Amino acid sequence: GLEAVLTQKGDIGQEYIIAFASRSNNNVESNYSSYEEVILV
């Protein structure tokens, strides 16, 4: 499956979750590896 979390840091540095989304892979996407991680900063 796929998931995404959108967070925002507050004034004192604490991280808050703004939005969360997830879905299952379709048949074609299931053929791809799930080990590659992408982090956007």
Side-chain angles (χ1 to χ4, degrees), residues 4-8 16-20:
V5 179
L6 177 64
T7 63
Q8 181 176 2
Y16 297 96
I17 295 176
I18 304 298
F20 177 82

Side-chain angles (χ1 to χ4, degrees), residues 5-41:
V5 179
L6 177 64
T7 63
Q8 181 176 2
K9 285 193 177 179
D11 294 336
I12 60 173
Q14 188 173 3
E15 205 166 13
Y16 297 96
I17 295 176
I18 304 298
F20 177 82
S22 66
R23 70 172 177 89
S24 297
N25 289 348
N26 63 32
N27 291 338
V28 174
E29 292 168 334
S30 295
N31 293 328
Y32 291 97
S33 173
S34 63
Y35 296 105
E36 188 171 330
E37 183 177 328
V38 177
I39 299 175
L40 302 175
V41 179

